[in-house]
Amino acid sequence: MDFLRLILMSVLSAAAMFAIAKVSGHKQVAQLDFFDYISGITIGSIAAELATELEDPWKPLTALAVYAGIAAVLRAVTTKCQKSRKYINGTPTVILDNSKLYRENMKKAKLDLSEFMLMCRQAGYFNLCDIQTAVYEYDGRLSILPVSTARPATPSDLNLSPTQETLFTEVIMDGRILDENLKRMGLNIRWLQKRLKEQGYQSADEVFLGICGKDHALTLFRGE
């Protein structure tokens, strides 16, 4: 009986975590701000307790609801009131600008010189002279504006006007034809089968991934 209750509580815990994650949004699985990081750890700990709590499951479940409610309220506040973001999320900090390092700003951001150099190298800048401005964002990432002579050339620099690229749409995945995606592009199964044969495939079962661009050019990948 206890084993069955343990399974049921584990399912309830997973369902509660899934619901909280949906309410919190994709930010929970991307770069987190300070409060999201703390609440994520706490909610995970409470959910683990809920999975094994057989006597009074409502206690950790209530705690989960409270933390989810606090996160939702703070998110609403920061969305509607810009001034509150400074105190809840923090503000970006300029670390380097025009060849000048701001030591006091590094202290405020709790960022030492070694960490700053590491983040510059990770961004592809091994020479600080190539950096015009470096901003330490409140989510812990470093945004870099390179000097004009060090940034990559763009088509406009070369007086070129390339055709705008668009996203590709998956029409075959794991050998399965995605009918809805085909219809969305104004295509059909007959068109796809014809293109498959033109590229040497007898059926979609032989294709691991098939993507199609706005120009209806079909690219196929065979699984190995």
Side-chain angles (χ1 to χ4, degrees):
M1 186 66 178
D2 286 344
F3 180 71
L4 180 59
R5 290 182 63 188
L6 181 61
I7 293 177
L8 292 176
M9 293 310 303
S10 298
V11 172
L12 177 61
S13 174
M17 287 295 293
F18 179 79
I20 292 174
K22 295 294 287 185
V23 171
S24 300
H26 294 289
K27 193 176 181 181
Q28 284 290 333
V29 293
Q31 289 291 333
L32 308 179
D33 58 34
F34 180 75
F35 181 78
D36 285 329
Y37 177 72
I38 295 299
S39 63
I41 294 175
T42 306
I43 289 174
S45 177
I46 297 173
E49 181 181 352
L50 173 61
T52 56
E53 178 59 63
L54 303 181
E55 299 298 329
D56 297 310
W58 61 270
K59 292 181 179 179
L61 191 59
T62 301
L64 279 176
V66 170
Y67 267 92
I70 293 174
V73 169
L74 287 178
R75 187 166 294 105
V77 170
T78 54
T79 300
K80 296 182 178 180
C81 181
Q82 292 186 351
K83 291 183 178 180
S84 66
R85 299 175 190 174
K86 176 180 178 181
Y87 304 100
I88 297 176
N89 292 335
T91 57
T93 305
V94 176
I95 303 299
L96 183 151
D97 185 57
N98 199 23
S99 300
K100 181 178 180 180
L101 278 168
Y102 292 91
R103 181 177 297 180
E104 290 301 319
N105 287 357
M106 294 182 70
K107 290 181 180 179
K108 291 178 182 178
K110 296 179 175 58
L111 182 71
D112 61 41
L113 193 57
S114 297
E115 291 174 325
F116 173 67
M117 296 292 291
L118 171 63
M119 297 177 78
C120 289
R121 292 193 298 271
Q122 289 176 334
Y125 294 91
F126 289 79
N127 187 351
L128 294 185
C129 295
D130 293 337
I131 300 175
Q132 174 65 30
T133 305
V135 180
Y136 189 65
E137 307 290 356
Y138 66 82
D139 63 358
R141 291 181 292 184
L142 189 69
S143 299
I144 294 178
L145 174 68
V147 297
S148 297
T149 55
R151 67 175 178 82
T154 63
S156 60
D157 294 331
L158 305 176
N159 294 321
L160 299 176
S161 299
T163 303
Q164 177 62 50
E165 295 182 351
T166 58
L167 294 176
F168 283 90
T169 300
E170 298 85 0
V171 293
I172 300 176
M173 292 189 70
D174 291 325
R176 184 170 59 89
I177 297 175
L178 305 180
D179 298 322
E180 291 297 324
N181 289 356
L182 277 175
K183 292 178 181 179
R184 193 179 301 118
M185 298 187 70
L187 305 174
N188 52 41
I189 299 294
R190 186 166 54 184
W191 175 89
L192 180 59
Q193 291 174 342
K194 181 179 179 181
R195 296 297 180 272
L196 286 171
K197 291 181 178 179
E198 287 177 355
Q199 298 192 34
Y201 294 90
Q202 297 301 315
S203 68
D205 296 337
E206 304 174 33
V207 179
F208 184 60
L209 174 65
I211 55 178
C212 187
K214 189 176 181 180
D215 57 355
H216 294 174
L218 181 66
T219 303
L220 302 175
F221 299 88
R222 187 192 299 271
E224 298 293 343

